[in-house]
Amino acid sequence: AQSVTQLDSQVPVFEEAPVELRCNYSSSVSVYLFWYVQYPNQGLQLLLKYLSGSTLVESINGFEAEFNKSQTSFHLRKPSVHISDTAEYFCAVSEMGGSARQLTFGSGTQLTVLP
Amino acid sequence: ETGVTQSPTHLIKTRGQQVTLRCSSQSGHNTVSWYQQALGQGPQFIFQYYREEENGRGNFPPRFSGLQFPNYSSELNVNALELDDSALYLCASSLAGQDYYGYTFGSGTRLTVV
């Protein structure tokens, strides 16, 4: 079984400042790692994913996340945030090789970008 | 390419009633998963359907059941509703064998049980 811990439930940050949203996971097997974003009254949108290869993955809107196997972490970062980045962010894992690739989510981090 | 659509968007039911939620998967996807997202929490996996059969289930009681149709659309049925069933119910579709690329989620159905 897997579990995901998002260490901060709320992160307020000023516009154009850098931000890091922390995610740690626990699993007895290898996993795929994901970050999803949820805007108010909407479903989840995939932000980025780590499947294999380079441990640093990037999204098209400037976010990046680094897979650290030894620390079982997959922290999300952005060097300069915008007001439009205000949303709930969920870290999720999926077990490699499972017959049903269910996602196990963390409890979410509300990112609020202040003007 | 159409995304995942869910209906209805909002629903209010009384404790003890039954409810059916519907989901149309993204074009080309053949697997549907359902998640429950309680207020202030992350989504929790209910079950997944592939080839019209349940293909994995989370820690939910049997009163949560589902169907997948030949066109890959799906229903989630919940019997004997309880107050704790109040949540956002999310449907996600994927293509079997490629779902590690990520799921496409619908906007959800907000269920309120009173």
Side-chain angles (χ1 to χ4, degrees), chain A residues 78-94:
Chain A
K78 190 171 186 180
S80 176
V81 293
H82 304 288
I83 297 287
S84 60
D85 293 324
T86 294
E88 186 97 29
Y89 291 79
F90 292 96
C91 181
V93 301
S94 175

Side-chain angles (χ1 to χ4, degrees), chain B residues 20-25 29-30 32 34 49-53 66-77:
Chain B
T20 297
L21 310 181
R22 296 178 175 81
C23 170
S24 294
S25 59
H29 285 182
N30 55 12
V32 175
W34 286 91
Y49 275 81
Y50 172 61
R51 291 185 173 177
E52 302 177 44
E53 294 199 358
L67 287 172
Q68 186 184 32
F69 300 98
N71 66 354
Y72 307 124
S73 65
S74 176
E75 288 181 354
L76 165 65
N77 299 290

Side-chain angles (χ1 to χ4, degrees), chain B residues 1 6 12 15-16 23 26 29-31 36 41 45 47 51 55 62 65-66 71 75-76 88 95 97 105 108-109 111:
Chain B
E1 178 181 279
Q6 293 186 242
I12 300 175
R15 189 172 48 184
C23 170
Q26 179 172 308
H29 285 182
N30 55 12
T31 300
Q36 181 196 65
Q41 297 183 23
F45 177 71
F47 44 56
R51 291 185 173 177
N55 181 40
S65 63
N71 66 354
E75 288 181 354
L76 165 65
L88 180 67
L95 183 60
F105 281 83
T109 294
L111 173 65

Side-chain angles (χ1 to χ4, degrees), chain A residues 6 13 33 36 40-41 54 56-57 59 65 75 81 88 110:
Chain A
Q6 292 184 244
V13 62
L33 295 153
Y36 281 85
N41 300 316
S54 173
L56 184 66
V57 291
S59 72
H75 301 332
V81 293
E88 186 97 29
Q110 173 64 44

Side-chain angles (χ1 to χ4, degrees), chain A residues 92-106:
Chain A
V93 301
S94 175
E95 181 180 304
M96 286 187 191
S99 59
R101 296 198 192 279
Q102 66 181 77
L103 291 166
T104 299
F105 287 88

